[in-house]
């Protein structure tokens, strides 16, 4: 695979990693695994490049399930490599709302240790 092929693969991996999981969760409920059909439908609805559907399969299928469906995909990537590539581009939760400090308004333990956040 030349540089253009590697670029297309990384680009697809980034899109699969960032878009497919949230879309599958919204459509089918939160889960760590989805069926190959659900993954294919989700990727199609998001207009992800189906040439690299193995990235979606690797992200949400067990190694055995992956082996049974990846052989019929347009592009084959070994399971561990595909999972690592998707994981590389999966967004972290470092900037989620839960990681920000609360202002203290309405919380117990304001400056005067009362339950009204320091408003006297």
């Amino acid at each position: 695979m030349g540089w253009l092929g590697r670029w297309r693969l990384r680009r697809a991996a980034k899109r699969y990693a960032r878009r497919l999981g949230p879309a599958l969760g919204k459509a089918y409920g939160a889960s760590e695994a989805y069926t190959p059909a659900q993954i294919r439908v989700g990727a199609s609805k998001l207009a992800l490049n189906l040439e690299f559907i193995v990235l979606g399969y690797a992200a949400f299928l067990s190694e055995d399930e992956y082996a049974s469906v990846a052989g019929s995909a347009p592009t084959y990537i070994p399971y561990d490599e595909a999972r690592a590539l998707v994981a590389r581009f999966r967004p972290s939760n470092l900037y989620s709302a839960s990681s920000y400090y609360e202002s203290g308004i309405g919380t117990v333990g304001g400056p005067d240790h009362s339950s009204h956040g320091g408003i006297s």
Side-chain angles (χ1 to χ4, degrees):
M1 184 181 296
W3 71 268
L4 183 59
R6 287 189 305 272
W7 176 80
R8 290 180 66 230
L9 177 61
R10 283 191 311 271
R11 183 174 182 221
K14 183 184 263 188
R15 290 181 176 182
Y16 271 88
R18 294 184 178 175
R19 296 181 183 173
L20 187 58
L24 291 173
K26 187 174 182 181
Y28 304 109
S31 179
E32 293 200 17
Y34 296 96
T35 67
Q38 290 172 327
I39 294 166
R40 182 172 283 286
V41 167
S44 294
K45 285 184 178 180
L46 294 169
L48 298 175
N49 187 343
L50 295 179
E51 180 181 346
F52 300 109
I53 190 69
V54 292
L55 297 168
Y57 292 155
F60 298 105
L61 296 176
S62 70
E63 190 168 3
D64 292 334
E65 291 173 310
Y66 179 85
S68 69
V69 295
S72 63
T75 301
Y76 178 79
I77 303 168
Y79 181 74
D80 292 336
E81 289 178 34
R83 278 188 75 88
L85 193 54
V86 171
R88 176 180 175 191
F89 293 109
R90 188 168 282 141
S92 65
N93 291 332
L94 292 177
Y95 300 108
S96 67
S98 64
S99 66
Y100 288 117
Y101 170 73
E102 296 277 337
S103 67
I105 297 174
T107 61
V108 176
D112 63 355
H113 303 289
S114 66
S115 62
H116 48 72
I119 301 171
S120 298

